Amino acid sequence: MRDSYDYSLLCHNTFGIEAKCSRFLEYSSVEEAQHVADLLHAEDKPLLIIGGGSNLLLTDDFKGVVVHSTIKGYEVLPADDDDHLLLRVGSGEVWDDIVALCVKQGWQGAENLSLIPGEVGASAVQNIGAYGSEVSHIIYKVEAVELATGKICEFNVDDCQYGYRQSRFKADWKNRFLITHVTYCLSRHDGPLNIDYGNIRAELERRQIEYPTLQQLRDVIIDIRNYKLPDPKVLGNAGSFFMNPVVERKQYEQLLSQYPQMPHYFIDEQHEKIPAGWLIEQTGWKGRSLGPVGVHDRQALVLVNLGGAKGADVVRLCQQIQKDVFERFGILIKPEVNIV
């Protein structure tokens, strides 16, 4: 177990922001997670539990305790029926490594979430999603250590109350648990693949693939994401910075009458989702910069560190984009990234 003081978080955030924390604790087993719970006291605040740092913006040194999991490994367990299997994974595993494993083994369910950065534990907190899929669709169980007691707890998917980029781990359970393992339920057999979101189908047609395999679908999604999203090692970023807003139908219909080409996605009879990237692009921010930060020229959802940026620079750009989008469309777009 690592227990360090005055610790640099530069390698723990993909924005490439230089910041330190007062104390850094890292656990690599359930027993070490329980030891972390024993070490932490009421005065050890503020507390920040992180994954790979791919959804994190540090605005200053963190004058508190940062906790991180490095629990590795996975095991295959039987499911309730022969058509499925359960995959129990350590919370410190890299998420895309697990997607690659699933695809290689022919286990269906995670393929649309290919190349999303971050770690397994964070996938269950954030309810990561892409291309018409969310990780909550395949989560079976989450195991965690309660910080207040050191008790090992298990939660099924309903307990976690997942929503769009939301869970109880981000709400009323925030900073209450250290996730140790996540179990996913995957299909053993080929079924219909989700290829109707974004430009997946168009890219498959361009490649003359009518019925893609899991690997072909993963390859297409990886290529699309690599084209649209910058490599954090080259341009610091946290992926999609804003959540796609869900608006009431009346507002949606008013906007659609003004912007007939506006992309949108049906939620229910009362609500429609509008891509935040499209809203930002209409305000002219795509490809523009504000000091040492900017909006990526291929994906307006992504804010990038152009070199030497501080967290406050990113916040300033975020707020200016929010202001411009609200003034034009009457929609407040909210950050997906955890701003600390």
Side-chain angles (χ1 to χ4, degrees), residues 31-46:
E31 292 74 23
E32 287 187 2
Q34 292 177 302
H35 185 47
V36 168
D38 289 338
L39 288 173
L40 292 177
H41 304 285
E43 62 270 20
D44 287 321
K45 293 184 178 179

Side-chain angles (χ1 to χ4, degrees), residues 231-243:
D231 184 346
K233 296 173 185 174
V234 179
L235 278 177
N237 71 91
S240 297
F241 195 91
F242 296 98
M243 293 187 286

